[in-house]
Amino acid sequence: QCEDKQGHYWFISLAGEVIEYDPNSKVAVKHVKGVIELPTNILCSSDGIVWVSGSHEDVAAVSHFDGHGWTREVHPMLQDHISYLSAIELTSGDMAFGGGFEFYSKPGGMAVYSKTGNEYTVSYVSSPQVPARIVGLAQTDPEQIWFSGGMLGNIGLPDFDETNYVEEFKVLWYDHI
């Protein structure tokens, strides 16, 4: 589902395993240690990091690989999973992951990984700034990110302020954006 800076292909197998394939040596490696147990999306970011999102032990989770090892983080605030359509790299280089479920009491929303030096820090944007459940994320320009699910709207960047909900469509669900 993505190609890293070394030309290796990364994908999630039908069995839910994270696989790295080197087309030059024709060797495939299954990654296990530090990887979340139920990956639903895999991305290669512009800084060379491989990101996997989904869930781990029934909690929303993200793992990222720096070329040497995996770092796994769970996000109980995002409830039980991160949607396969709601993981994106923003033009700033930040990584955003939407999660949540509209019927839970936890806030849900979005986890945003920002890089400072060689370290990532995580911040959260939650309801009511964004919906409790985010199914899809898309960035249309450097100053806004769109979200979908039970609501359609956008939020201003880089400070995640100025939320605008689209209300003219009388639709109960917005899936792919």
Side-chain angles (χ1 to χ4, degrees):
Q1 294 179 356
C2 69
E3 182 178 346
D4 68 17
K5 290 188 175 226
Q6 290 74 41
H8 295 186
Y9 302 125
W10 292 81
F11 59 93
I12 300 169
S13 73
L14 292 175
E17 303 161 324
V18 174
I19 306 294
E20 173 187 10
Y21 177 72
D22 181 345
N24 294 321
S25 65
K26 301 199 181 341
V27 172
V29 176
K30 177 172 69 172
H31 289 256
V32 178
K33 187 177 180 181
V35 177
I36 61 176
E37 72 180 0
L38 186 58
T40 57
N41 193 356
I42 190 164
L43 298 167
C44 296
S45 59
S46 60
D47 64 356
I49 304 296
V50 178
W51 297 84
V52 178
S53 59
S55 66
H56 187 78
E57 297 177 353
D58 296 322
V59 178
V62 173
S63 290
H64 52 94
F65 182 71
D66 63 4
H68 304 288
W70 288 91
T71 300
R72 178 177 53 225
E73 297 181 65
V74 295
H75 300 286
M77 183 175 178
L78 301 182
Q79 301 159 15
D80 62 350
H81 73 283
I82 293 171
S83 170
Y84 74 98
L85 296 172
S86 68
I88 64 169
E89 179 176 10
L90 303 177
T91 57
S92 64
D94 291 352
M95 299 297 294
F97 300 91
F101 191 66
E102 55 271 70
F103 302 113
Y104 287 161
S105 60
K106 295 178 186 174
M110 178 171 42
V112 180
Y113 285 76
S114 300
K115 192 172 187 177
T116 305
N118 290 328
E119 298 288 318
Y120 280 96
T121 56
V122 181
S123 59
Y124 295 95
V125 183
S126 59
S127 181
Q129 282 181 281
V130 293
R133 180 176 183 198
I134 296 177
V135 174
L137 290 172
Q139 187 172 11
T140 54
D141 65 52
E143 296 178 5
Q144 70 181 356
I145 183 173
W146 284 83
F147 49 80
S148 68
M151 297 179 214
L152 177 66
N154 61 57
I155 190 166
L157 296 175
D159 298 322
F160 297 97
D161 55 2
E162 298 182 36
T163 303
N164 300 296
Y165 288 97
V166 176
E167 296 181 15
E168 57 262 16
F169 306 121
K170 303 294 183 208
V171 178
L172 297 176
W173 189 255
Y174 302 90
D175 204 19
H176 296 71
I177 59 169

